[in-house]
Amino acid sequence: MKHGLVLEGGGMRSLFSEGVIDVMQEHGISMDGMVGVSAGALFGCNFKSHQPGRGLRYNTRFKDDPRYMGMKSFLTTGNYVNAQFAYHTMPLELDLFDIAAFEADPMEFHLVATDISTGKPVYRRIEHVDDQALEWFRATGSMPVVSRPVRIDGMSLLDGGMTDCIPLQYFQSVGFERNIVVLTRPKGYQKQPTNIVPLFRLFHPQHPKVAACMARRHEMYNAQLQYIEAEAQKGNTLLIYPDQPLEIGRTERDADKMRAIYEAGKQKALAMLQDIQAFLAD
């Protein structure tokens, strides 16, 4: 029986998820596979590379660096998070991503992006980290409006959270029967419709599926919440979520807030450690 780890996105809210997986690393907990969406993938990859705290470290280190993210990058490149610096220079030169460790760990690593020509999710297993793999990481985390589409294999890709926020059903479909799902919203949260659909049309006029996906995203997300709750009731899914709303922006630059969210994740995982161990041993 294969055990999977499913990480929701949410920008800097996903520092909560990093806190959770770091506690798992510290207690020798391994998984057969992981799937991450957006920031869930960007922070979650450090579980496979055995680099606890890395996501918190580079975000606090580069938070005020105009090369990393901000309006200067957006106005000059069309990407609020700078494509070259954040996804190539930083992990390959400045805060090294341990590619050797990532590739040596047997855990499968999957991520989700959205093909904005079709309005469908695209799933990718990352086994080897090269320039194209780094572009897949960029694709899963490229939020509409503030990011240019990422071109890979003839597809135009943006954030995976547009079409599959909590990819439990996908992971079940590829053989992961018992899964831990880490959410970045508290229990009982329901997503509301967005009121900025015209903005998506304005910034992505060549890809009308972007606005269409975002207009119905709340329906997709709330249906997924209902599904994962039902799976948890069956006993094949363990849910980990914050006890209260995480007070942090998607592109937060306050280091104290980042550390607080990360610590909230660690404390939640420590409180649930016996539950996690029992779930994986069952």
Side-chain angles (χ1 to χ4, degrees):
M1 183 173 292
K2 294 169 68 176
H3 293 86
L5 180 63
V6 180
L7 300 183
E8 180 187 9
M12 290 299 180
R13 291 200 315 272
S14 290
L15 286 169
F16 174 87
S17 303
E18 183 178 34
V20 171
I21 61 177
D22 282 0
V23 167
M24 293 172 66
Q25 288 192 75
E26 291 164 3
H27 288 83
I29 295 172
S30 60
M31 306 295 293
D32 297 307
M34 170 193 290
V35 58
V37 182
S38 193
L42 301 180
F43 293 142
C45 65
N46 299 308
F47 187 37
K48 184 171 167 63
S49 68
H50 302 272
Q51 294 177 281
R54 180 174 173 269
L56 176 65
R57 184 178 64 242
Y58 70 70
N59 274 290
T60 54
R61 177 183 174 187
F62 296 113
K63 62 184 179 67
D64 296 319
D65 192 323
R67 297 174 299 171
Y68 182 34
M69 63 180 175
M71 287 306 298
K72 179 179 179 181
S73 176
F74 180 61
L75 293 174
T76 57
T77 72
N79 294 294
Y80 188 84
V81 177
N82 188 274
Q84 178 60 39
F85 183 85
Y87 295 99
H88 295 274
T89 304
M90 188 271 291
L92 297 179
E93 299 177 19
L94 302 176
D95 193 311
L96 299 182
F97 181 58
D98 195 335
I99 294 174
F102 180 94
E103 294 181 351
D105 190 291
M107 181 183 73
E108 293 185 25
F109 183 87
H110 302 238
L111 53 75
V112 189
T114 296
D115 183 335
I116 60 174
S117 295
T118 65
K120 302 294 184 182
V122 179
Y123 305 96
R124 179 75 173 188
R125 180 178 175 183
I126 304 294
E127 298 179 80
H128 305 289
V129 180
D130 54 17
D131 282 342
Q132 187 179 73
L134 294 173
E135 286 295 279
W136 276 102
F137 281 109
R138 180 162 77 93
T140 190
S142 289
M143 297 180 290
V145 176
V146 295
S147 308
R148 291 186 180 277
V150 182
R151 293 287 297 174
I152 305 176
D153 294 338
M155 296 179 288
S156 294
L157 304 172
L158 283 175
D159 196 319
M162 295 169 58
T163 49
D164 195 350
C165 294
I166 312 168
L168 175 60
Q169 288 174 282
Y170 161 71
F171 231 32
Q172 291 173 329
S173 75
V174 294
F176 292 89
E177 301 169 87
R178 291 180 65 79
N179 294 280
I180 296 174
V181 178
V182 184
L183 303 174
T184 60
R185 298 288 194 180
K187 186 177 178 64
Y189 173 81
Q190 289 283 289
K191 187 174 288 295
Q192 300 303 310
T194 180
N195 58 6
I196 60 169
V197 171
L199 195 63
F200 298 118
R201 295 194 183 103
L202 176 66
F203 277 82
H204 299 284
Q206 305 302 316
H207 295 96
K209 294 290 187 180
V210 172
C213 288
M214 297 307 290
R216 62 175 180 266
R217 184 168 178 256
H218 65 290
E219 298 173 353
M220 174 268 295
Y221 184 81
N222 294 336
Q224 289 187 326
L225 288 178
Q226 186 176 16
Y227 179 80
I228 65 173
E229 288 285 357
E231 292 300 291
Q233 289 297 318
K234 294 177 183 177
N236 59 37
T237 301
L238 178 67
L239 304 182
I240 302 175
Y241 44 77
D243 294 324
Q244 57 192 9
L246 301 175
E247 301 297 336
I248 192 168
R250 281 183 170 271
T251 56
E252 185 65 61
R253 294 190 179 189
D254 186 319
D256 290 336
K257 288 185 178 181
M258 294 183 203
R259 295 187 187 100
I261 300 304
Y262 174 75
E263 288 300 325
K266 295 196 73 171
Q267 292 305 312
K268 183 68 175 186
L270 286 170
M272 293 187 63
L273 185 59
Q274 290 186 344
D275 294 330
I276 294 170
Q277 292 170 328
F279 178 80
L280 295 175
D282 190 357

